[in-house]
Amino acid sequence: MKPADLYILNQPDKYRDILLHIVSVIENTIPEVTLEYKWTVPYFYYKKKPLCYLNASHKHHFVDIGFAKGFQLKQNQQHLIADNVRNTVKSLRYYSLDEVDNEVLISVLKEAIILY
């Protein structure tokens, strides 16, 4: 089994459910992506370039989808998080599976791939 898959499957239920859902949405929205394991997290690549990563933060109790070119995204700004230490990445952050808004996620994904 690939390290990215193990990362997801070895998470506690709360995080695993969110991650599996997000992976499904990403793969159905952008079938050309590949899921790699870089910098100790699952990272989706589009056209062989980093698109977004998945991070389960047990300390802060959320799952982040960090977009590599997040600061170039124009739409859905009210949903994108930019922590003080980030200079290129913005993320969608979910504390529960119910918080995942597929329309917003798909919209961000479609805008993000235009940047490639």
Side-chain angles (χ1 to χ4, degrees):
M1 190 170 288
K2 294 181 180 181
D5 296 329
L6 287 173
Y7 175 94
I8 293 167
L9 295 175
N10 287 333
Q11 296 295 324
D13 291 348
K14 171 187 172 177
Y15 304 105
R16 184 176 55 242
D17 293 346
I18 298 170
L19 290 165
L20 288 171
H21 179 77
I22 291 168
V23 167
S24 175
V25 171
I26 293 171
E27 290 178 342
N28 284 312
T29 303
I30 314 167
E32 306 86 4
V33 295
T34 58
L35 183 58
E36 307 291 335
Y37 190 73
K38 303 285 183 177
W39 304 288
T40 71
V41 293
Y43 219 120
F44 279 99
Y45 276 67
Y46 179 71
K47 295 184 178 179
K48 298 184 180 182
K49 295 182 180 171
L51 175 67
C52 62
Y53 65 84
L54 307 176
N55 180 47
S57 174
H58 297 196
K59 180 179 179 182
H60 298 290
H61 311 288
F62 61 73
V63 170
D64 251 356
I65 309 171
F67 290 88
K69 296 185 178 187
F71 273 85
Q72 295 178 39
L73 298 171
K74 304 289 185 223
Q75 301 170 19
N76 298 293
Q77 287 299 306
Q78 70 276 23
H79 300 287
L80 292 164
I81 308 278
D83 292 336
N84 293 336
V85 296
R86 297 176 174 177
N87 57 7
T88 59
V89 174
K90 283 193 177 182
S91 64
L92 294 172
R93 184 167 290 168
Y94 303 112
Y95 292 88
S96 71
L97 183 56
D98 293 337
E99 287 185 4
V100 179
D101 184 332
N102 287 347
E103 284 185 30
V104 171
L105 175 53
I106 290 168
S107 175
V108 173
L109 288 166
K110 287 181 176 180
E111 182 184 5
I113 64 171
I114 292 170
L115 301 173
Y116 292 83

